[in-house]
Amino acid sequence: MTPSTRRNASDDSTDAGTDLLVDGVVGVPAGIGEPARLARAGAFDAWLHGLLPAREGIALIAVGGLGRRQCAPYGDLDLVLLHAGVPGVDELAAALWYPIWDAGVRLDHSVRTLAEALSVAQDDVKVALALLDARFVAGDRALADTLTRTATDHWRRTAVRQLPALREITEVRWRTHGELAFLLEGDLKEAAGGLRDVGILRAIATAGITDALRPAVRAAHLRLLDTRDALHQQVGRRVDRLVAQERAGVAALLGLRQSAAEAAGAGARADSGDGDALLRRVAGDARTVSHALDDAWRAADRLRSGRRRGADGRPLRRPVARDVVEHDGELVLARTAIGARPDPSLSLRIAAAAATHRLPIARATCEWLAAYCPPLPAPWPPAARAAFVTLLGAGPGLVPAWETCDRYGLIDGWLPEWTRLRSLPQHNPVHRFTLDRHLVQAAYEASRHTRDVERPDLLLIGAFLHDIGKGLDGDHSTVGAPLAEAVATRIGLPAEEAALIGTLVRLHLLLPDVATRRDLSDPKTIAGVAERVGDTTTLELLHALVLADAAATGPAAWSGWKGRLIAELVARVRTTLDTGVVPAPPAPDPALVSGPLPVVHLTEDRVAVAAADRRGLLATVAGCLALHRLEVISADAATVDGRALVECRVQPRYGLAPDPIALSADLRRAVTGDVSVTQRLRGRALAARSGGAAPRVVWHREAATDAVLLELRAADAAGLLYRVTCALDEAGAQVRAARISTLGGDVVDAFYLVGGWPSDEQRDHIEAAVLAAV
């Protein structure tokens, strides 16, 4: 059965009768959806039934996708040849497996007696789960029924004891594959909330521990299966990771199409699929599965540990907050709260209690709140506002409490804007979360810094709202500021505090942008930031918000050098705001301005060079660093008493530090004009050229005291700084400082060019030279 007819990636038909795999042996239907999956299972059943001769004491059993009748277009077969000790079983197995292999079908197989199969299931929880999907295909039905019945009965008796081991295995898988709801390229099967977790829910439901497969879970499961069907059909082979380049095609096959205007704006075909709609749908389904599994684990834990009961034999009830009690390990409403007219702040107060005490909210309580809790007035009453701040500042308990409330629609009642933000993908690979989870995570990270600021409540609210403008046209900081201010006003903050929230949102990228792209020794840089920030209260809130935002974004958003640059900027701006005087720039390193030349100093992240004053020294140093696979983060050039000084902050491009002796030797030879090093630099620079999107140059005339700022936005490449500084030098421009900011695969490099460069003709000449070098 070889793939002789594969679907065209643009074909969006879901006809279950279309032949996908045909080779004169069996036709396996293509298509997306449950009817197609059942048809594929039926075709495999018929084919396999013909391969196994009828014989007592031997049975062919399907597990996995075929056992569940959920065959993906390019899925594999999981088969067990069960026997009762009959002779010649090895030859019989070979006669069965080889036709399957010859047909080009992926096969996972085993040959076992009934006792062997049950023994393995007792020792391996994954095998025990697999046997719950076991289904008779051919041969001795009575033997197969004995296995399926016995395996199921054994699981029901032992599930409570086996679930801890299963949970440990599951959490290892989650750490490996991440959370499907928040990944841009998630594994539909293995990631948390994926198809593998539905199998665990099915096992828990089979054990009778809880009703894990509720209608919402079943619907989410079917949509995830449909997505995997479409992914197989789009790619033409077995694959479970929904990668970016296949997203639009999969969306189109599922009927999630962009409008003509959206497609034109994205530069796509008019019939292309809406990849963002697909990501949001997958995220919602994965969350449904994850929430159900969390509930199931808790039910299993309660069953295993037993209920805590009082002297009267009833489960203990412990008050934890006004109108909130703990009952059997979950939070429920006090009886007086249910009987009285509900307080609009009730849902926020129980969410805050759940986050603070790190206890789950009972499902029935969430359903009651969604049905009967009245909407919040505008502005919110003080109790609601206080509960909201408590919720945001609860630390580790925030995320699970928020996710539970979101699951039952409570968040939409608090914040109408949440519908737009929910599961919104962030396509910058630096981000590890969807937008909604990023905002909640930012509030959680901000809770670590509440003791560092004068107004911790405003820090939490500002962190939660800082990216509210994303997904709308325009710069999200500018667009989001009035939206955040409106939310803050609705929450009940006074006008001046709501305005400060708007300021935090508008300026939340100011400190990292300036610290990584501007010369912090330039008084104009410090004065400009101080003018925009206005006061030290806002400055400390912005600093804490930057730390929270970076931690919530992901590891790639932060580094030690970035933290040091931002801390230096904050310290200099604070001094300016406190004294009204911009601090003087730091003096040159004394070791560089004395002693014989050349001078080379190396540390883990700093390279400093002093040489006889000459043009092109910065380019030469940058080229040497590129030769030794060092990335330049910042560079400063100056002339002191006839000496040219160059200081660079660096980091290894591939994580491995260079040999300091070889680097120092190359630097010394290069700055003294050694031709052999220069030739190596030019050869490497030419070899490193790469394509990509068209680069762009932006001029900033008023950004520096004694220079004009040229900003280059281009694709990142090794040796880029060397080529650009060489081009600037050859064009007659003197670079006194450079700042390099890498954003994924792109860079924003800022070059301080000494002089005003007022002439359009001069600037055009410089710009052309830079773009040619890129």
Side-chain angles (χ1 to χ4, degrees), residues 85 102 130 193 225 279 281 307 404 424 461 464 512 528 696 701 705:
D102 291 343
L225 288 172
L279 285 177
R281 193 176 89 166
R307 294 185 172 186
T404 298
L424 188 67
I461 295 172
F464 175 70
R696 180 185 174 202
R701 298 288 304 280
T705 303

Side-chain angles (χ1 to χ4, degrees), residues 527-554:
V529 173
E531 182 179 3
R532 295 187 68 184
V533 171
D535 56 73
T536 55
T537 297
T538 304
L539 178 65
E540 69 180 14
L541 286 171
L542 284 172
H543 190 196
L545 176 52
V546 167
L547 300 176
D549 186 16
T553 297

Side-chain angles (χ1 to χ4, degrees), residues 592-612:
L592 298 179
V593 296
S594 61
L597 297 176
V599 178
V600 175
H601 285 173
L602 305 180
T603 64
E604 183 179 355
D605 63 351
R606 176 177 174 268
V607 174
V609 176

